[in-house]
């Protein structure tokens, strides 16, 4: 059992099947298994819409296989925020690997966030999570300096 604070927006989404490259950068991977407190994530488009101004933490974990290395991008309202890559190789013997990323941004009400990539992601270990962690009076850098 876990406690869900009322009035707080958060998301935990997981891929339940292979997800192909989104059709455009205005769409994200459509993660299927979703805990969507506040109902701000659209699992058809893969887009999270910020319900209010504030500092948001985002985690993305992507699993890739069969030597298919590719880039993963986090988009804010159509503009690229950050990127990372997944490099599944033969080091483990099975050509499967995951890569994770944590980012904190100061965002405005109505901003949209999506995870885009130019490859196929594998289920089970591929996730996308969002938490509103504070108000927007601090920039992301100021917030990080306080912890």
């Amino acid at each position: 059992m876990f406690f869900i604070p009322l009035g707080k927006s958060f998301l935990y989404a997981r891929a339940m099947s292979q997800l192909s490259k989104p059709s455009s950068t205005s769409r994200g991977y459509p993660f299927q298994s979703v805990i969507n407190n506040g109902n701000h994530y659209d699992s058809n488009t893969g887009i999270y819409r910020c319900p209010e101004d504030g500092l948001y933490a985002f985690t993305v974990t992507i699993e890739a296989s069969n030597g298919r290395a590719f880039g993963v991008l986090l988009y804010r309202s159509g503009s690229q925020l950050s990127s990372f890559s997944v490099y599944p190789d033969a080091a483990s013997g099975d050509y499967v690997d995951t890569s994770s990323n944590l980012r904190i941004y100061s965002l405005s009400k109505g901003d949209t966030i999506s995870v885009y990539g130019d490859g196929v992601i594998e289920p089970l270990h591929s996730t996308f999570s969002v938490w509103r962690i504070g108000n927007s009076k601090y920039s992301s850098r100021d917030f990080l300096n306080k912890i």
Side-chain angles (χ1 to χ4, degrees):
M1 179 178 211
F2 62 94
F3 173 71
I4 299 174
L6 295 176
K8 301 294 181 184
S9 173
F10 62 86
L11 164 73
Y12 173 80
R14 184 174 70 165
M16 300 301 290
S17 62
Q18 278 190 339
L19 300 178
S20 298
K21 173 183 174 179
S23 59
S24 74
T25 57
S26 64
R27 297 178 66 87
Y29 286 109
F31 294 91
Q32 303 106 333
S33 178
V34 177
I35 298 172
N36 189 8
N37 191 51
N39 203 30
H40 301 288
Y41 178 72
D42 182 337
S43 60
N44 294 313
T45 63
I47 293 176
Y48 177 86
R49 184 172 303 279
C50 298
E52 57 188 315
D53 295 351
L55 288 174
Y56 289 81
F58 298 90
T59 62
V60 179
T61 299
I62 300 296
E63 179 178 354
S65 65
N66 300 319
R68 295 183 295 222
F70 62 93
V72 179
L73 304 120
L74 194 61
Y75 275 85
R76 172 189 184 182
S77 301
S79 298
Q80 183 181 330
L81 277 175
S82 64
S83 64
F84 66 100
S85 297
V86 185
Y87 296 101
D89 57 28
S92 64
D94 58 7
Y95 292 96
V96 175
D97 204 355
T98 60
S99 186
S100 296
N101 205 326
L102 166 67
R103 298 291 184 185
I104 297 173
Y105 294 108
S106 179
L107 300 173
S108 300
K109 179 179 181 175
D111 281 346
T112 59
I113 302 294
S114 60
V115 179
Y116 177 84
D118 57 0
V120 174
I121 66 173
E122 298 295 330
L124 189 57
H125 297 112
S126 296
T127 63
F128 175 42
S129 299
V130 181
W131 299 270
R132 183 178 177 276
I133 58 173
N135 64 36
S136 58
K137 73 177 185 176
Y138 300 112
S139 69
S140 297
R141 182 172 300 214
D142 290 339
F143 175 79
L144 291 175
N145 288 333
K146 292 189 180 299
I147 51 177

